[in-house]
Amino acid sequence: MTQTLSRPNPAFRSTQRVTITLPHSTFDALVDRSSYEGRSLSNLAAFLLETVLTEAVKA
């Protein structure tokens, strides 16, 4: 079964929630970094994803 992802209307953009599965070592690295930077795991993961995607568009 194919799942269709809808994009929100640009005029009404809001944050979206997503669930992912990570290798344990990646999870541990995120936990360590989020603790070091004093930010939540969710905030760090969102920041890292946004950064990578922004850089990919520039390349």
Side-chain angles (χ1 to χ4, degrees), residues 27-39 44 47-48:
F27 176 78
D28 282 344
L30 281 170
V31 169
D32 290 346
R33 183 167 169 180
S34 68
S35 178
Y36 176 78
E37 294 185 12
R39 57 200 308 171
L44 176 61
F47 169 75
L48 293 173

Side-chain angles (χ1 to χ4, degrees), residues 4-41:
T4 303
L5 299 176
S6 62
R7 294 178 185 245
N9 180 335
F12 299 102
R13 288 188 180 162
S14 64
T15 59
Q16 300 295 312
R17 188 174 299 261
V18 63
T19 301
I20 62 171
T21 302
L22 300 172
H24 192 267
S25 59
T26 302
F27 176 78
D28 282 344
L30 281 170
V31 169
D32 290 346
R33 183 167 169 180
S34 68
S35 178
Y36 176 78
E37 294 185 12
R39 57 200 308 171
S40 71
L41 183 63

Side-chain angles (χ1 to χ4, degrees), residues 45-56:
F47 169 75
L48 293 173
L49 284 169
E50 288 177 48
T51 300
V52 168
L53 293 173
T54 300
E55 292 300 318

